[in-house]
Amino acid sequence: SVSISNFSFNPSTLTVKVGTEVTFTNNDSTTHTVTSSDLDSGKIASGESYKHTFDQAGTFNYHCSIHTSMTGKVVVQ
């Protein structure tokens, strides 16, 4: 799982196996997103979560579309 806190994704790089469901939980007091060409969480309010199952191997970089300095990566093996 990935925690969104202090305007960052923790861990910033997560390595999982193909078929893993990853939960992104917003622990900040403001709204964030998990956004890329493969991921579109929409707005995640404080205390809410977004889940995505990674069905293919590869490296998936993502960011918060509201706070673009926030970036992360999921490596699927």
Side-chain angles (χ1 to χ4, degrees):
S1 64
V2 176
S3 172
I4 305 169
S5 59
N6 297 317
F7 289 84
S8 64
F9 296 104
N10 186 23
S12 59
T13 300
L14 179 68
T15 302
V16 299
K17 294 183 184 297
V18 170
T20 299
E21 180 181 74
V22 176
T23 302
F24 300 82
T25 302
N26 183 0
N27 296 304
D28 265 344
S29 59
T30 189
T31 300
H32 293 294
T33 74
V34 176
T35 307
S36 73
S37 58
D38 300 292
L39 303 169
D40 182 10
S41 66
K43 292 180 178 178
I44 308 170
S46 178
E48 298 294 316
S49 296
Y50 164 68
K51 296 181 179 185
H52 181 82
T53 301
F54 289 87
D55 295 328
Q56 297 179 350
T59 299
F60 300 87
N61 295 296
Y62 60 89
H63 64 278
C64 174
S65 64
I66 302 167
H67 311 99
T68 54
S69 64
M70 293 175 58
T71 61
K73 169 171 49 176
V74 177
V75 179
V76 183
Q77 299 177 334

